[in-house]
Amino acid sequence: MRVLAVWGAVVAVLVGGGTAVADGGPEADLAYHGAASMAGGWVDLRFTPRNHGPAEVPDATVRLRWSEPLVDRQVLPGGCARFSERVVLCRVGALAADGVGERVEMRVRVRGVPSEVLLEIDTVWNGGTVDRNGENDRQRVLVLDSGDEYYF
C-alpha cells in the first residue's frame, strides 16, 4: 500500500507541476539531514526530513538520485520505490509545522565497485505547499568508497 502512495505522489507531481504549485498556497520549508557511507559498492544512507514551517505539509515525497546505476534487485524500506535505474522515491508523509519526520534508512548496492558516488536528494512533492527556500531541501553528497560517513 505504501508503494501505491509513492506512485500516487509521483502522478500528482507530474500532473501538478512539482513543489512550487501556487504563489498563494501555504508556505513550508522542507529540509533533509543525515549521513551516507559506501564500502565495496554498498551505500548506507540515513536521513531525517524536517519542516521548518510555518505551515504543515500534508504529504511529502523525496527523490534520491544516484550518479551510478543501482543493481536491479534492491531491498528498500516501506514507503520507498524504485523509479528508474538511478532513482528511488520515498514517501516521508505528513510533517507538522516546525516538526521532524520519521528517519529513513536504507542500504543499496550500486553496479560495480565505483570509487565514489554522488547522491542528490530533493523534494518532488510537498503536498501543495510552497517552499520559497528550495536550497535546504536539495542536497548533493559525494560519498567515497572508504567506509567513512559523509554528513549532510
Side-chain angles (χ1 to χ4, degrees):
M1 194 64 175
R2 288 178 169 231
V3 171
L4 292 176
V6 171
W7 286 111
V10 171
V11 170
V13 167
L14 296 175
V15 172
T19 57
V21 269
D23 288 334
E27 185 174 347
D29 184 15
L30 296 176
Y32 306 99
H33 300 287
S37 64
M38 183 169 68
W42 286 97
V43 181
D44 291 303
L45 171 66
R46 68 180 188 276
F47 66 91
T48 303
R50 180 174 180 101
N51 175 15
H52 295 287
E56 67 180 28
V57 175
D59 197 9
T61 301
V62 65
R63 175 177 37 212
L64 309 170
R65 191 175 332 177
W66 310 89
S67 61
E68 297 293 328
L70 303 176
V71 298
D72 290 337
R73 293 187 183 253
Q74 298 287 335
V75 177
L76 298 172
C80 295
R82 184 83 173 263
F83 186 72
S84 70
E85 74 174 0
R86 296 174 193 246
V87 176
V88 171
L89 300 175
C90 292
R91 180 176 183 256
V92 296
L95 296 167
D98 201 28
V100 177
E102 289 186 34
R103 187 156 116 172
V104 176
E105 295 183 44
M106 69 179 69
R107 185 171 212 217
V108 297
R109 176 104 169 112
V110 294
R111 288 191 194 148
V113 184
S115 62
E116 64 184 37
V117 66
L118 178 65
L119 169 61
E120 296 179 272
I121 301 170
D122 65 329
T123 303
V124 293
W125 173 245
N126 62 11
T129 60
V130 176
D131 189 342
R132 297 192 200 293
N133 180 13
E135 292 180 26
N136 62 352
D137 71 326
R138 293 184 200 121
Q139 300 283 350
R140 292 174 51 106
V141 185
L142 181 63
V143 184
L144 303 179
D145 187 12
S146 64
D148 295 331
E149 287 195 318
Y150 296 89
Y151 295 91
F152 56 92

